[in-house]
């Protein structure tokens, strides 16, 4: 299948495009109440009190927000038990960057792989997100939450491919991991299945009506076309599924090659790794 011909279908019917490349895969629905909260967050006329009231309509979401805010990743000195207080502390951007990954985690199909555990998947996702946020803080502070979300969710197409292709996808993933993640996973996938996780992830995000910046970053985080993924997201994409110690040197090398100060990127990595471990526990 020609991927170039597939992309224009996204705007017309991304679910049909997913069916075309993943056969019997049925994309789960995205949590409707999360979308209601996101609409409130993006409405400049809506107060944070109104946002909190929208969150309160879903008791499960309330628990997840409070649990995450009170985790070690946030480093608060005093426990927050009031949702309005938690929402106020987070602010619009940080709350969105928390809710979107949590909602995607809930919507993603459960997957079983002999080469990639859920723990490793979510740790790498959280590490990429924290690294991208740290990098964006240096150059584009206003975009750091978008960078976090895009990097965190960049591989959301992988669980769908595991679910749809089973053992055949495990073979491709195993080959990639055996090589230390140095090969381009998207190229290996396209060679075997005529589609890659970047395209699948973008189609999923399009079908769920997620923000446009997420669709673009999902599609282009492996390079893609001009004007593709955010630079912080692309640099964070060097994180594979090798574990915290094994990820350190490849990231530092890539960041130094991009001209970033060694001391700064070491600090970014160390802070990101600590926060990612806690976030991964919340997601796995």
């Amino acid at each position: 299948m020609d991927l170039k011909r597939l992309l224009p279908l996204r705007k017309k019917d991304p679910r049909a495009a997913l069916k075309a490349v993943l056969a019997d895969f049925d994309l789960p629905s995205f949590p409707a109440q999360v979308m209601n909260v996101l609409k409130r967050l993006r409405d400049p006329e809506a107060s944070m009190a109104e946002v909190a009231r929208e969150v309160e309509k879903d008791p499960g979401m309330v628990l997840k927000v409070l649990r995450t805010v009170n985790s070690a990743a946030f480093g608060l000195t005093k426990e927050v038990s009031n949702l309005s207080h938690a929402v106020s502390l987070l602010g619009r951007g940080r709350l969105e960057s928390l809710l979107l990954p949590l909602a995607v985690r809930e919507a993603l199909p459960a997957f079983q792989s002999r080469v990639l555990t859920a723990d490793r998947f979510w740790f790498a996702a959280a590490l990429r997100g924290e690294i991208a946020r740290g990098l964006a803080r240096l150059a584009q502070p206003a975009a750091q939450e978008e960078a976090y979300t895009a990097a965190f969710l960049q591989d959301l197409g992988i669980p769908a491919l595991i679910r749809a292709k089973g053992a055949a996808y495990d073979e491709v993933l195993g080959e990639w991991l055996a090589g230390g993640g140095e090969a381009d996973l998207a190229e290996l996938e396209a060679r075997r299945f005529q589609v890659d996780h970047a395209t699948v992830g973008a189609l999923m995000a399009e079908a769920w009506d997620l923000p446009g910046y997420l669709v673009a970053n999902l599609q282009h985080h492996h390079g893609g076309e001009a004007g593709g993924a955010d630079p912080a997201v692309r640099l964070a994409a060097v994180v594979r599924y090798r574990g915290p110690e094994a990820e350190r040197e490849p990231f530092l090398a890539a960041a130094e090659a991009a001209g970033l100060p060694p001391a700064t990127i070491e600090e970014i990595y160390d802070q990101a790794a600590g926060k990612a471990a806690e976030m991964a526990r919340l997601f796995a």
Side-chain angles (χ1 to χ4, degrees):
M1 180 177 294
D2 184 353
L3 295 183
K4 297 292 185 183
R5 293 179 58 195
L6 171 65
L7 295 180
L9 292 175
R10 286 170 45 214
K11 294 297 181 183
K12 297 179 181 178
D13 192 347
R15 288 181 179 271
L18 277 170
K19 282 281 189 182
V21 296
L22 297 184
D24 295 329
F25 175 76
D26 287 315
L27 181 68
S29 297
F30 197 79
Q33 188 54 30
V34 173
M35 295 305 296
N36 293 337
V37 173
L38 293 177
K39 287 177 184 177
R40 283 287 188 182
L41 279 171
R42 294 172 192 148
D43 179 359
E45 300 299 320
S47 68
M48 292 307 286
E50 290 175 302
V51 171
R53 285 195 290 272
E54 197 67 45
V55 174
E56 285 174 341
K57 293 178 182 179
D58 185 336
M61 197 186 311
V62 173
L63 288 174
K64 289 170 185 173
V65 170
L66 290 175
R67 182 185 178 199
T68 306
V69 168
N70 287 311
S71 71
F74 277 77
L76 298 181
T77 56
K78 186 177 180 181
E79 182 175 334
V80 176
S81 58
N82 180 277
L83 178 67
S84 294
H85 185 199
V87 167
S88 181
L89 281 174
L90 288 167
R92 292 178 187 270
R94 193 73 184 269
L95 182 58
E96 179 169 324
S97 72
L98 167 62
L99 289 179
L100 269 173
L102 282 171
V104 168
R105 167 69 181 87
E106 183 178 328
L108 277 176
F111 68 91
Q112 289 186 334
S113 167
R114 61 180 174 80
V115 296
L116 180 61
T117 66
D119 287 348
R120 289 172 67 193
F121 180 83
W122 290 113
F123 174 78
L127 181 57
R128 280 191 296 262
E130 294 292 349
I131 286 174
R133 177 187 276 149
L135 293 171
R137 192 179 297 124
L138 295 177
Q140 282 186 298
Q144 58 185 307
E145 298 307 329
E146 290 184 355
Y148 171 88
T149 308
F152 195 114
L153 296 178
Q154 73 168 38
D155 281 353
L156 72 85
I158 287 180
L161 280 164
I162 292 174
R163 185 70 176 265
K165 303 298 183 181
Y169 188 73
D170 262 1
E171 291 177 7
V172 172
L173 203 54
E175 177 187 346
W176 179 64
L177 292 171
E182 296 306 318
D184 190 296
L185 177 58
E187 290 181 3
L188 295 176
E189 293 165 337
R191 195 178 306 145
R192 181 73 177 269
F193 306 113
Q194 291 75 56
V195 71
D196 58 57
H197 71 277
T199 299
V200 169
L203 288 169
M204 292 170 69
E206 186 81 9
W208 281 334
D209 198 26
L210 298 186
Y213 77 87
L214 270 180
V215 177
N217 277 289
L218 281 160
Q219 182 65 57
H220 301 300
H221 71 271
H222 273 267
E225 301 167 2
D230 180 274
V233 177
R234 284 198 189 181
L235 193 50
V238 72
V239 171
R240 308 306 194 207
Y241 296 97
R242 297 166 290 212
E245 293 306 315
E247 300 292 359
R248 182 185 177 86
E249 290 308 317
F251 167 69
L252 295 182
E256 285 186 40
L260 297 177
T264 300
I265 57 178
E266 286 180 15
E267 182 179 359
I268 287 174
Y269 185 86
D270 290 341
Q271 291 180 355
K275 292 180 179 179
E278 179 63 23
M279 289 303 295
R281 281 192 285 272
L282 296 173
F283 275 75

